[in-house]
Amino acid sequence: MWWAITGMALITFFNRYAFFADFVRYSPGAKVKRFLSYSSYAVLTAIWAPIVFSVDTQTGFTHAGADYLIGVSVAAALSLLRVPSIVVVLTSAAVFFGIRFVI
Amino acid sequence: MPTSNCSTRSASGLALRAVADTLPLCIAVIPWGILTGALAIQIGMSPLQAQLMSLLVFAGAAQLSGMTLIASAAPLGAIFASTFVISSRHLLYSVVFRQHVTQLSRSLKVIMAFILTDEMFAVSEAHTKRSGQFSALFALVSGFSFYVIWNVATLIGILIGDTFKDLDSLGLDFAIAATFIAMTFGELRRFPVFIAVLASGCLSVLLKPIFTDSYIVIAALAGMLAAYVLGQEGET
């Protein structure tokens, strides 16, 4: 167990520190910077999308339930209107848990 | 010393802004921190080992996956390979942050790397875009706020232990989805961002059943490439 924790800690730190090290000389040019500028949008979406949607061999694209669909729709609509993130999270979570546990 | 007072005020204002910007993500991650702590106890870790996992590894998805493998008595090599693949997206963040941290001392670089998470990266990049320049103070405060909340949530999970076995069936993952939508959809009017979101979202859903450990990185890289190629006309 101790080896697992130590190894995992070293691996996650390596991935985070890799390009900070002084001996790494690589510096991204303008094109690479533009490519990398989309990283947070792409990674965050790749994390949340499978929480709500999935693929089924029988039905194709499917979803986690009406509560998820309505909740993320509310979050998406409020975000597009540039409502502050904390309001988006609290409002959509209230709608989601309201549908899930009250209705 | 009006200048000093002014800079102290602006530094504390910046720190407060960092905490405020990270707050929604902290709220969303609390259930996952609790789940991580509880799961660690359920698979037989001691409370100290469970807490050290969050204190030292500090990577939710990698921790949950690692613990699942430990529970199934998987060899260390499989646990390490899974950890590397799942956390390899941090390599991307490391490349982006490199330009911001080159002037920092080595110890600050180590600290910055240690607290570099999806959440800290996204919040810090949004601040850099908004203000026109990277702030190490903002990134550090954001990262540490998240670190503290993650570890407190883990501790609650350790204390709860076996009590809540169905914590993951309560739909608590919705908060993660809502938070990440809030952090990305505000920029959806920019065509390349729209492409990045659409491509990485569709691909992650399609690839998850096939590449259970690496689908996030593969889908994200493909989404970034699609945004880079198709979004050239729309970006200046």
Side-chain angles (χ1 to χ4, degrees):
Chain A
M1 200 77 89
W2 288 110
W3 283 114
I5 296 170
T6 309
M8 286 174 71
L10 289 173
I11 290 165
T12 49
F13 182 76
F14 169 81
N15 281 344
R16 289 164 166 156
Y17 190 75
F19 287 92
F20 289 9
D22 292 333
F23 61 84
V24 176
R25 297 278 171 224
Y26 176 72
S27 189
K31 287 181 174 176
V32 177
K33 275 184 185 166
R34 193 166 75 78
F35 172 74
L36 292 171
S37 71
Y38 307 122
S39 56
S40 67
Y41 306 106
V43 174
L44 296 186
T45 306
I47 293 172
W48 79 256
I51 293 175
V52 181
F53 302 102
S54 54
V55 279
D56 187 280
T57 46
Q58 304 291 317
T59 55
F61 270 96
T62 182
H63 56 81
D67 43 3
Y68 278 86
L69 275 188
I70 295 168
V72 295
S73 300
V74 170
L78 292 176
S79 304
L80 285 170
L81 295 170
R82 306 260 173 120
V83 171
S85 297
I86 187 79
V87 180
V88 172
V89 174
L90 293 178
T91 308
S92 59
V95 170
F96 172 77
F97 288 111
I99 296 169
R100 194 172 179 89
F101 296 116
V102 180
I103 298 173
Chain B
M1 300 269 282
T3 314
S4 168
N5 282 343
C6 186
S7 67
T8 308
R9 259 204 311 275
S10 65
S12 56
L14 193 64
L16 274 177
R17 180 71 201 253
V19 173
D21 284 2
T22 317
L23 190 63
L25 298 126
C26 290
I27 294 171
V29 88
I30 288 172
W32 289 98
I34 295 174
L35 178 69
T36 303
L39 183 65
I41 297 301
Q42 285 165 24
I43 66 160
M45 281 186 165
S46 70
L48 177 65
Q49 288 170 329
Q51 191 67 61
L52 279 176
M53 191 82 147
S54 281
L55 283 168
L56 300 177
V57 180
F58 186 40
Q63 283 178 241
L64 287 169
S65 163
M67 287 191 293
T68 310
L69 288 170
I70 289 170
S72 63
L76 276 180
I79 295 167
F80 293 161
S82 161
T83 304
F84 179 80
V85 172
I86 290 173
S87 72
S88 58
R89 64 186 187 277
H90 293 108
L91 286 167
L92 277 178
Y93 306 155
S94 186
V95 182
V96 177
F97 261 39
R98 177 184 164 81
Q99 58 188 320
H100 303 317
V101 303
T102 44
Q103 302 303 319
L104 300 180
S105 66
R106 183 172 293 169
S107 50
L108 265 181
K109 280 183 192 170
V110 168
I111 294 170
M112 193 74 86
F114 184 71
I115 55 172
L116 183 53
T117 55
D118 298 315
E119 291 79 3
M120 185 268 245
F121 177 77
V123 169
S124 185
E125 279 297 285
H127 175 264
T128 304
K129 218 162 266 168
R130 206 168 46 229
S131 67
Q133 61 177 359
F134 174 80
S135 163
L137 175 70
F138 187 97
L140 286 170
V141 172
S142 168
F144 266 112
S145 313
F146 197 73
Y147 184 72
V148 170
I149 296 295
W150 177 250
N151 277 283
V152 170
T154 303
L155 179 62
I156 296 170
I158 292 168
L159 296 173
I160 289 172
D162 286 332
T163 318
F164 287 99
K165 286 207 165 156
D166 288 333
L167 205 60
D168 55 345
S169 66
L170 295 176
L172 299 175
D173 50 358
F174 174 80
I176 301 277
T179 310
F180 287 177
I181 286 170
M183 301 202 64
T184 50
F185 274 44
E187 293 287 317
L188 215 55
R189 290 168 193 160
R190 288 171 52 205
F191 182 65
V193 173
F194 174 76
I195 294 293
V197 165
L198 185 69
S200 62
C202 290
L203 279 172
S204 64
V205 171
L206 286 169
L207 295 177
K208 190 180 178 184
I210 309 164
F211 304 103
T212 46
D213 280 346
S214 56
Y215 71 95
I216 294 174
V217 173
I218 298 172
L221 284 172
M224 289 160 67
L225 187 65
Y228 179 83
V229 173
L230 300 175
Q232 270 174 329
E233 299 297 315
E235 286 284 273
T236 51

